Amino acid sequence: MEAAVKTNTLKDRLYSEFETVKNSLLGSLQIREQAMESFLKQGIPNRKSEEYKYVNIDLVLKGEFAFSTDKTTTCEQIKHTKFLKDAIDIVIENGVFIEDLSNIKSLPKGLQVINITDASSNETFSKQYSKYADVNADTFIALNTALAKGGVFIHVAKGTVIETPIHIINISSTKENLIINSRNLIVVEPNAQVKFIESFETVDSSAKTFNNSMTEIVIDENAIVDYYKIQDENENGYLINTTQVYQKKQSVFSTNTITLSGSLVRNNLNIVLDDEHIETHLNGLYLTSGNQVVDNHTLVDHRKPNCNSNELYKGIIEDKSSATFNGKIYVRKDAQKTNAFQSNKNILLSDEGTINTKPQLEIYADDVKCSHGTSTGKLDADKIFYLRARGLSETSAKKLLMHAFASEVVDTLKIEALREYVEEKIAKRFE
Amino acid sequence: MLSIKNLHASIDGKEILKGINLEVKAGEIHAIMGPNGSGKSTLSAVLAGREEYEVTEGEIIFNGKNLLELSPEDRAREGVFLAFQYPIEIPGVSNVNFLKTAINEIRAYKGLAPMEAKDFLARLKEKQKLVELDGKLANRSVNEGFSGGEKKRNEIFQMAMLEPKLAILDETDSGLDIDALRIVAGGVNKLKSKDNATIVITHYQRLLDYIVPDVVHVLYNGKIVKTGPKELALELEEKGYDFIKEEVNA
């Protein structure tokens, strides 16, 4: 176990961690050095950082943090996290892929799952790794690229259709405060079809985890990819989750980010549509309570003509929690005939809760259809009365209305077992 | 069954009901008619328990219970049903799911176990037929995208499903074409029994051709100013409300 260095600043400690990992095989030394340099320039964001002003990251990172731990969970302990009966389970514990806990012995033809630390000899990996996420665009991309030492590389070969969902299970489990930088690369080749679920959970943890988790997804021509996220860590969980997606011609990408718990969750979802006739669906649902902070930043970059993107994020904010939605859409000069739609709707259940919502559309093409809308309100008193007048208690009337509000997003989950799991979780939340 | 004594109610400090007295017995149909602004909708809102209205005087006893002390849901569970003048649209909540929840909460209030799924389905089918409601509508979100007539039919369908003791139909005829009116009235008539009662609140006599009342009351300026047999409705239709106003003001 590495002991955390106690006296130096966090930046210094991150730098010394860099010295220990920089020669590992994950990515080239050059990539890592550039990333570290960029991180040192950008620094750890504070309240004055425009992109992170609603999340107190510098406060979260006060105190001592280690970079790795001996803690290992048992098969029995994580049983409940494998909530899909028929799935290819990939377990990543504290940012490290654990093959023993996973279920990848007999994979369908055309599917490869490789520990990312063993992937550098793979030609596709070397070609694609760290190619899409720009270290200079975001400090956590830089930090992750500099320090990542675990995760998986998933390769779906040309024309492969995988019916069984692939479930990436991120488990935080530690007895001392821990900074995690986990990194995945997913490459889906032309005409392939695949569904992913990525979940984040805390198991048997008595200290904070700060998980800077990042996934790059490359979707080649005509491929269809679903990517669903369930973020359900406990109050020890602090998560920065970056997803960098690159779509090629005629590909379809559908994603849904469901945030149920965790002290802090920041999602950076960046999608580049870099050819014609691409379809992108982004949905999100956040149910916040207590002192929770959830911040969804999305970026949809329309670079070429004739593409469609559709975005719907909904949130229910309780107690003193705070939620942020920041949705950027770029429609570049070449991207004529773009259809880009965005909507963010919120229900604020308490006077102390906060919602910040900021749609940002930048349109440089002149023949496009784009719209955005945002609304924040309380539960409708007329609806509550109508339900009560039929015999429903006030509580169950509210529950029914919240469930109805959430269902617009939940219904987009195309895996039935997952939808049922999420619905059950939501029902429990509204108890 | 229902006994209203000297009921006064106001909203935002303005008195709307100024001493209503009304006795309704099981098996009866009462019509409450009156010009616009006479307090008809306020009376139905107060009966259902809308919190915006403040009852300043009087009492409402329903089957021996003080209705004014009960929450809206407990009134419904005791058997009071209000068919809304303007039914609310609730996107995302399916009619069927909502009715199942309602029935089971009413049953729980009475200490009964939840209804068996097959019994519920059977009731659903039977009552749908009663109000000629398309099965597709029953499965859709509550009132979402329904036409005016469909919404009113859906109110009667809900009433049929919940089997109330006292049904209050608030301007159920407004905005209905003659076919929809016939269907809605037919539904109400088929649900009539010696154990339940109905209050029909309406501006026009038209509905009363189909739902024949035992007693007709005229509400004017927050008070019941005239009570009579079903012929009173015809007289009102013929002479208009002015003769009532003249009588009262004389």
Side-chain angles (χ1 to χ4, degrees):
Chain A
M1 198 194 304
E2 299 163 45
V5 184
K6 290 204 167 108
T7 47
N8 300 331
T9 67
L10 181 63
K11 249 185 174 178
D12 294 339
R13 280 180 277 139
L14 290 166
Y15 192 78
S16 69
E17 166 67 7
F18 171 69
E19 291 296 322
T20 68
V21 299
K22 70 177 183 186
N23 291 316
S24 80
L25 291 168
L26 179 52
S28 70
L29 178 60
Q30 196 196 359
I31 289 174
R32 283 207 193 264
E33 277 177 338
Q34 280 170 359
M36 194 65 206
E37 202 182 310
S38 178
F39 168 72
L40 292 173
K41 221 183 274 167
Q42 296 177 74
I44 295 162
N46 56 36
R47 290 234 115 171
K48 286 179 193 141
S49 322
E50 182 57 30
E51 289 297 309
Y52 286 88
K53 65 179 173 187
Y54 297 117
V55 284
N56 268 330
I57 297 209
D58 53 335
L59 286 182
V60 173
L61 287 173
K62 276 211 169 107
E64 301 307 322
F65 281 88
F67 292 98
S68 63
T69 175
D70 291 337
K71 181 85 184 71
T72 46
T73 46
T74 63
C75 221
E76 194 55 36
Q77 276 177 309
I78 64 154
K79 217 169 151 189
H80 67 282
T81 67
K82 299 182 175 181
F83 51 76
L84 287 179
K85 252 192 216 148
D86 300 302
I88 297 157
D89 292 320
I90 295 169
V91 176
I92 295 173
E93 187 201 63
N94 296 332
V96 180
F97 171 58
I98 312 282
E99 194 165 349
D100 291 348
L101 297 175
S102 304
N103 146 35
I104 58 159
K105 290 227 162 60
S106 55
L107 294 178
K109 200 170 165 274
L111 173 66
Q112 269 183 302
V113 177
I114 304 172
N115 192 335
I116 204 161
T117 55
D118 300 332
S120 29
S121 57
N122 183 295
E123 205 185 318
T124 310
F125 177 84
S126 318
K127 231 190 256 173
Q128 307 279 15
Y129 180 77
S130 192
K131 194 176 153 191
Y132 302 97
D134 178 5
V135 294
N136 296 316
D138 180 272
T139 195
F140 289 104
I141 295 178
L143 184 67
N144 184 289
T145 307
L147 296 186
K149 54 185 174 189
V152 283
F153 166 53
I154 299 173
H155 183 238
V156 184
K158 215 170 166 174
T160 306
V161 176
I162 302 169
E163 300 282 350
T164 317
I166 300 170
H167 186 183
I168 303 171
I169 305 167
N170 294 280
I171 289 167
S172 300
S173 179
T174 183
K175 289 195 164 68
E176 57 189 328
N177 292 349
L178 194 63
I179 289 179
I180 299 162
N181 285 284
S182 68
R183 177 80 169 227
N184 305 311
L185 172 65
I186 296 171
V187 177
V188 183
E189 293 203 336
N191 301 314
Q193 289 182 31
V194 61
K195 291 187 181 80
F196 293 94
I197 295 134
E198 186 174 16
S199 58
F200 294 85
E201 310 225 22
T202 315
V203 175
D204 187 34
S205 214
S206 52
K208 278 187 204 173
T209 48
F210 183 87
N211 191 355
N212 177 23
S213 170
M214 192 174 148
T215 301
E216 283 175 294
I217 306 172
V218 187
I219 306 170
D220 216 320
E221 281 185 33
N222 221 26
I224 300 176
V225 176
D226 289 359
Y227 203 93
Y228 305 132
K229 282 187 200 182
I230 314 294
Q231 297 167 329
D232 198 13
E233 293 190 313
N234 72 10
E235 62 280 3
N236 277 321
Y238 297 79
L239 175 65
I240 309 282
N241 192 191
T242 303
T243 311
Q244 185 75 40
V245 183
Y246 183 81
Q247 284 188 260
K248 294 191 195 171
K249 201 172 187 167
Q250 287 169 19
S251 62
V252 182
F253 178 62
S254 307
T255 187
N256 199 329
T257 305
I258 294 180
T259 310
L260 300 168
S261 57
S263 270
L264 179 146
V265 178
R266 164 62 178 254
N267 290 305
N268 294 320
L269 173 60
N270 308 318
I271 305 172
V272 176
L273 292 73
D274 204 12
D275 209 324
E276 295 196 44
H277 302 290
I278 290 169
E279 216 180 285
T280 309
H281 304 276
L282 315 71
N283 294 291
L285 176 70
Y286 40 95
L287 309 176
T288 67
S289 61
N291 289 311
Q292 212 186 341
V293 177
V294 175
D295 183 342
N296 278 292
H297 270 58
T298 66
L299 167 61
V300 180
D301 186 356
H302 283 270
R303 292 188 180 170
K304 297 280 158 66
N306 297 309
C307 294
N308 294 314
S309 69
N310 238 311
E311 178 168 18
L312 173 66
Y313 272 70
K314 290 182 120 178
I316 300 178
I317 294 100
E318 274 185 276
D319 306 330
K320 290 181 177 169
S321 63
S322 125
T324 298
F325 172 79
N326 182 312
K328 286 192 189 110
I329 298 177
Y330 295 154
V331 180
R332 308 227 183 187
K333 223 167 97 192
D334 286 346
Q336 299 293 359
K337 306 275 179 202
T338 289
N339 291 318
F341 304 110
Q342 182 191 83
S343 169
N344 174 233
K345 296 176 189 169
N346 300 285
I347 292 178
L348 199 52
L349 291 179
S350 72
D351 294 334
E352 294 147 310
T354 313
I355 167 79
N356 309 294
T357 173
K358 188 177 179 190
Q360 279 178 276
L361 271 62
E362 290 183 27
I363 301 169
Y364 301 99
D366 52 17
D367 183 15
V368 300
K369 278 190 198 133
C370 297
S371 73
H372 68 88
T374 172
S375 69
T376 298
K378 290 185 185 309
L379 283 173
D380 188 331
D382 285 337
K383 288 179 186 162
I384 294 172
F385 180 75
Y386 187 78
L387 296 170
R388 291 176 75 190
R390 298 294 176 256
L392 272 72
S393 70
E394 192 174 352
T395 317
S396 57
K398 285 180 176 170
K399 228 159 67 179
L400 205 60
L401 292 176
M402 288 194 280
H403 199 269
F405 178 81
S407 68
E408 198 184 350
V409 172
V410 177
D411 288 350
T412 66
L413 297 168
K414 279 175 256 168
I415 301 166
E416 202 186 330
L418 178 67
R419 204 168 53 235
E420 280 166 13
Y421 174 81
V422 170
E423 267 169 7
E424 215 170 280
K425 282 265 174 190
I426 292 173
K428 256 190 211 151
R429 256 305 288 283
F430 294 154
E431 287 290 296
Chain B
M1 175 185 278
L2 179 75
S3 168
I4 302 178
K5 284 195 180 116
N6 191 31
L7 182 69
H8 289 252
S10 54
I11 186 164
D12 300 330
K14 194 182 169 218
E15 189 168 59
I16 309 281
L17 301 182
K18 300 169 181 170
I20 302 249
N21 293 292
L22 182 67
E23 296 283 333
V24 179
K25 293 193 188 70
E28 292 181 342
I29 295 180
H30 287 237
I32 297 179
M33 302 181 70
N36 289 330
S38 58
K40 300 191 301 289
S41 286
T42 301
L43 179 61
S44 64
V46 168
L47 284 169
R50 273 219 92 119
E51 280 146 4
E52 300 91 299
Y53 293 92
E54 193 194 347
V55 173
T56 51
E57 223 182 311
E59 61 170 24
I60 306 175
I61 304 297
F62 178 68
N63 285 331
K65 290 208 165 117
N66 182 353
L67 203 68
L68 294 173
E69 281 180 356
L70 299 178
S71 63
E73 54 269 37
D74 281 352
R75 296 179 195 203
R77 294 161 179 173
E78 289 289 342
V80 176
F81 180 93
L82 171 66
F84 282 58
Q85 183 179 1
Y86 303 110
I88 308 290
E89 296 194 16
I90 312 183
V93 175
S94 86
N95 246 333
V96 172
N97 189 16
F98 151 58
L99 283 169
K100 197 188 282 168
T101 314
I103 286 176
N104 285 335
E105 289 205 22
I106 292 168
R107 289 175 66 90
Y109 180 79
K110 294 176 178 162
L112 299 169
M115 199 176 214
E116 295 278 342
K118 71 169 182 5
D119 296 339
F120 177 78
L121 282 175
R123 192 192 281 193
L124 202 67
K125 253 190 171 161
E126 182 203 329
K127 306 298 184 182
Q128 244 166 261
K129 233 166 111 188
L130 191 80
V131 292
E132 299 174 37
L133 191 74
D134 194 322
K136 276 184 214 129
L137 285 184
N139 281 307
R140 281 210 338 232
S141 289
V142 179
N143 295 324
E144 190 187 17
F146 284 28
S147 70
E150 284 167 347
K151 281 181 185 168
K152 296 297 172 78
R153 247 146 76 191
N154 196 25
E155 292 293 287
I156 305 304
F157 170 60
Q158 289 175 26
M159 173 180 139
M161 288 296 290
L162 300 177
E163 299 177 343
K165 292 192 190 108
L166 174 68
I168 304 151
L169 311 183
D170 187 7
E171 307 266 3
T172 296
D173 50 334
S174 65
L176 285 192
D177 63 37
I178 200 73
D179 290 332
L181 190 71
R182 221 176 266 143
I183 292 167
V184 164
V188 173
N189 287 329
K190 280 178 217 157
L191 293 168
K192 193 192 164 183
S193 79
K194 63 176 180 19
D195 302 318
N196 61 27
T198 310
I199 297 175
V200 182
I201 294 174
T202 181
H203 184 85
Y204 304 104
Q205 188 269 340
R206 196 173 66 140
L207 179 65
L208 304 180
D209 285 341
Y210 300 94
I211 303 173
V212 181
D214 300 297
V215 190
V216 175
H217 308 275
V218 181
L219 187 64
Y220 175 63
N221 201 13
K223 275 184 182 171
I224 288 175
V225 293
K226 205 173 171 79
T227 296
K230 63 174 188 272
E231 289 76 17
L232 178 58
L234 292 169
E235 195 183 346
L236 280 170
E237 180 75 3
E238 207 179 295
K239 297 184 183 168
Y241 285 105
D242 285 348
F243 95 94
I244 295 285
K245 291 179 190 170
E246 279 160 26
E247 264 185 45
V248 172
N249 296 331

